[in-house]
Amino acid sequence: MNAYNSTTVSVDDDQQPSMAVVDLVSEVTGTDVLELDPLYNAIDPDVLDTLCTSGSGFTSLEFQYASHTVVVAQVESGLKISLEPVTIGAAGSSGVADSGPSA
């Protein structure tokens, strides 16, 4: 993965959002799923799944997991999960890597 681009997947109805996040991070980082930190260290997987699949008016959420900012957003076709590498600045603050100029 190019460090300046996000990676996005659409989640099938058969796949839980929490598993889609873990699978995507595994694929992007080249790390076996079993070697990743547990997702619950970043967010409660049950809450993520319930929130994203309920009719609660969910639109989006963002959290950090495995050195990436994960954005889960509701779209017409279901859910969209995007990853951006987290960078640490000289002052120790973290942020999302610059993905270039916006149009």
Side-chain angles (χ1 to χ4, degrees):
M1 180 179 129
N2 183 332
Y4 296 104
N5 294 317
S6 65
T7 300
T8 304
V9 296
S10 293
V11 180
D12 298 333
D13 290 336
D14 298 349
Q15 189 176 32
Q16 293 179 319
S18 58
M19 288 308 302
V21 168
V22 172
D23 289 344
L24 180 60
V25 170
S26 172
E27 180 181 322
V28 168
T29 62
T31 305
D32 186 271
V33 172
L34 298 175
E35 293 179 14
L36 290 171
D37 284 338
L39 183 60
Y40 63 75
N41 286 345
I43 190 168
D44 184 327
D46 292 332
V47 171
L48 176 63
D49 294 339
T50 301
L51 182 63
C52 292
T53 56
S54 69
S56 65
F58 165 79
T59 56
S60 68
L61 64 88
E62 181 177 308
F63 60 94
Q64 289 187 4
Y65 175 59
S67 301
H68 286 79
T69 297
V70 179
V71 179
V72 181
Q74 187 74 40
V75 294
E76 269 186 44
S77 60
L79 292 175
K80 183 169 126 178
I81 301 172
S82 302
L83 299 179
E84 287 286 344
V86 173
T87 59
I88 304 296
S93 62
S94 63
V96 176
D98 182 10
S99 57
S102 57

